């Protein structure tokens, strides 16, 4: 019995693979390597001390998916795969809807054919409507402001519809806040191709001397230091959240249906606080410059983590300083390759 991880060599998928293998589970990684490298599977193997099966396949390729479900004894799926760049989704909405929605429907079809009905879905805090008060609770109204966000909202709905049509389906939606950090081994982490869209990968490249300075998108928000506030969570904590989610899906008293959980710390940090933590981690000053607000950004986003704590037993443990230290270790290894 194995857990299939779509997007298994991506940032969150790879850390979750390590966590699950260390728990004693069999995993199968599936990826089309559009935003990761085959070498990640080998690195996961080095961390856990044994080889982990990895299949190159695209969720848009139904025949390839069928082969994966025929070749392996898959019992549950964690679905990470998908395009995830907010700005790109505004420029190429059809590519995002096609890839993320059709890919998911293909996956659910293959699962149905093979009687696999347990799924954990990589959702996002972006599914909460922008006018919700913080902290965001799981029952806050949903809605998105860009095509990427809408794909997450729509996939959540597809999963609710599927679980309503067949009550044997058991689905957990994990709504991530801002995952950062890297595995403490320094062997796996986030390595976006091109210019990073997100704050911490950008700061990491500035610290490594690969980019000249960090642009702070707005210092005139109604926040203590004027910069945007987010709920940053260590990817290793997030990976443990997936292990707890799978454990919950397998509980004999769980009857199916769909549940959503926030995975965040419940604490917000500002852009300037993140930069200061990164400076402590790398021991040098990080040049930055305040520029205008980025369109679509909210002033403050953080989770209400109470439901995940009560129902999953999930609590984030690692601090912002640890997130930056682990990110920096990974970035240094990348730069020295
Ligand atoms: N920021 C900068 N400079 C940068 C990049 C970001 O100042 O170069 C700021 C942003 O304005 C924001 C904060 O840093 O205040 C965090 O920005 P990120 O781009 O790292 O993260 P977001 O909160 O914008 O987006 C993240 C995920 C999305 C997801 C969203 C859900 O990247 O996929 O959270 O809330 F949709």
């Amino acid at each position: 019995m194995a857990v299939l991880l779509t997007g298994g060599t991506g940032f969150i998928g790879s850390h979750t693979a390590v966590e699950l293998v260390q728990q004693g589970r069999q995993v199968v990684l599936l990826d089309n390597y559009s935003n990761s490298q085959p070498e990640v599977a080998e690195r996961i193997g080095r961390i856990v001390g044994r080889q982990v099966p990895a299949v190159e396949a695209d969720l848009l390729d139904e025949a390839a998916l069928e082969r994966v479900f025929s070749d392996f004894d898959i019992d549950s799926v964690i679905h990470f795969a998908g395009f995830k760049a907010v700005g790109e989704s505004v420029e190429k909405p059809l590519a995002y809807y096609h890839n993320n929605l059709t890919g998911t429907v293909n996956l659910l079809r293959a699962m149905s054919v093979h009687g696999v009905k347990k799924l954990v879905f990589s959702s996002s805090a972006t599914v909460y409507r922008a006018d919700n008060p913080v902290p965001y609770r799981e029952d806050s109204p949903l809605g998105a402001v860009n095509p990427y966000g809408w794909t997450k909202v729509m996939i959540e709905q597809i999963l609710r519809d599927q679980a309503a049509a067949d009550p044997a389906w058991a689905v957990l939606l994990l709504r991530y806040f801002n995952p950062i950090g890297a595995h403490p081994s320094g062997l796996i982490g986030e390595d976006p191709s091109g210019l990073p869209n997100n704050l911490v990968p950008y700061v990491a490249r500035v610290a490594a001397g690969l980019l000249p300075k960090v642009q702070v998108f707005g210092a005139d928000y109604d926040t203590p230091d004027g910069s945007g506030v987010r709920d940053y969570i260590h990817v290793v904590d997030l990976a443990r959240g997936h292990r707890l989610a799978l454990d919950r899906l397998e509980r004999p008293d769980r009857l199916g249906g769909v549940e959503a959980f926030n995975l965040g710390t419940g604490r917000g940090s500002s852009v300037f606080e993140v930069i200061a933590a990164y400076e402590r981690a790398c021991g040098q000053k990080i040049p930055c410059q305040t520029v205008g607000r980025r369109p679509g950004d909210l002033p403050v986003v953080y989770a209400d983590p109470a439901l995940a704590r009560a129902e999953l037993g999930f609590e984030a443990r690692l601090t912002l300083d640890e997130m930056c230290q682990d990110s920096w270790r990974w970035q240094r290894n990348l730069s020295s390759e």
Side-chain angles (χ1 to χ4, degrees):
M1 290 293 198
V3 188
L4 177 70
L5 274 58
T6 73
T9 57
F11 177 44
I12 303 169
S14 58
H15 290 80
T16 302
V18 168
E19 175 77 24
L20 295 181
V21 175
Q22 287 178 337
Q23 187 196 13
R25 289 180 182 271
Q26 307 285 333
V27 303
V28 176
L29 312 178
L30 181 151
D31 216 298
N32 65 1
Y33 304 121
S34 64
N35 195 24
S36 66
Q37 288 79 39
E39 198 207 339
V40 174
E42 182 265 319
R43 285 162 171 256
I44 294 169
R46 269 163 67 193
I47 296 172
V48 300
R50 66 182 155 97
Q51 239 189 321
V52 173
V55 178
E56 179 170 4
D58 194 309
L59 295 182
L60 297 178
D61 181 348
E62 289 174 90
L65 259 181
E66 170 54 35
R67 278 196 298 280
V68 174
F69 279 90
S70 302
D71 290 350
F72 295 93
D73 185 13
I74 291 163
D75 179 50
S76 55
V77 176
I78 309 185
H79 181 29
F80 298 100
F83 290 164
K84 60 169 191 176
V86 171
E88 187 183 57
S89 80
V90 176
E91 287 156 26
K92 303 177 188 169
L94 300 184
Y96 270 67
Y97 288 119
H98 181 51
N99 186 71
N100 292 6
L101 300 187
T102 310
T104 300
V105 170
N106 287 346
L107 174 67
L108 300 182
R109 278 199 183 134
M111 289 173 67
S112 292
V113 168
H114 290 269
V116 180
K117 299 185 176 183
K118 290 196 281 281
L119 179 86
V120 177
F121 175 57
S122 244
S123 192
S124 165
T126 199
V127 300
Y128 293 116
R129 271 177 50 154
D131 57 359
N132 277 308
V134 286
Y136 289 168
R137 291 162 43 98
E138 287 80 353
D139 56 5
S140 304
L142 304 185
V145 291
N146 55 63
Y148 160 74
W150 278 116
T151 70
K152 294 292 183 191
V153 176
M154 289 175 185
I155 292 169
E156 286 200 357
Q157 187 59 40
I158 290 170
L159 292 169
R160 276 189 215 95
D161 291 340
Q162 179 60 13
D166 180 351
W169 277 74
V171 177
L172 287 194
L173 314 172
L174 299 183
R175 296 177 179 155
Y176 313 147
F177 281 69
N178 289 60
I180 61 166
H183 195 266
S185 64
L187 286 171
I188 54 173
E190 192 173 15
D191 184 19
S193 46
L195 209 58
N197 297 304
N198 298 115
L199 178 65
V200 171
Y202 204 102
V203 170
R205 288 196 192 173
V206 173
L210 302 171
L211 290 169
K213 59 175 183 286
V214 180
Q215 295 192 316
V216 177
F217 295 147
D220 57 350
Y221 287 109
D222 184 15
T223 59
D225 64 20
S227 66
V229 169
R230 294 291 181 275
D231 185 340
Y232 297 93
I233 177 168
H234 198 300
V235 65
V236 169
D237 274 328
L238 203 67
R240 187 163 38 82
H242 290 76
R243 166 165 71 72
L244 294 169
L246 271 186
D247 291 347
R248 182 177 182 85
L249 284 184
E250 290 170 357
R251 265 173 32 185
D253 58 335
R254 192 169 188 284
L255 291 174
V258 179
E259 292 176 293
F261 293 106
N262 288 338
L263 293 185
T265 65
R267 285 180 300 277
S269 304
S270 73
V271 174
F272 289 122
E273 284 170 333
V274 171
I275 294 172
Y278 217 97
E279 287 178 337
R280 287 193 289 279
C282 70
Q284 57 186 3
K285 194 98 195 98
I286 295 175
C288 60
Q289 177 193 20
T290 299
V291 297
R293 295 179 179 190
R294 184 169 64 177
D297 272 355
L298 292 170
V300 180
V301 175
Y302 60 95
D304 181 338
L307 191 67
R309 192 187 307 132
E311 298 295 324
L312 290 180
F314 175 76
E315 207 155 2
R317 296 173 184 153
L318 298 163
T319 62
L320 182 62
D321 278 306
E322 288 166 307
M323 300 180 212
C324 293
Q325 285 155 15
D326 288 334
S327 161
W328 177 234
R329 184 180 304 107
W330 160 245
Q331 180 63 49
R332 260 188 335 213
N333 289 350
L334 265 184
S335 307
S336 65
E337 266 172 11

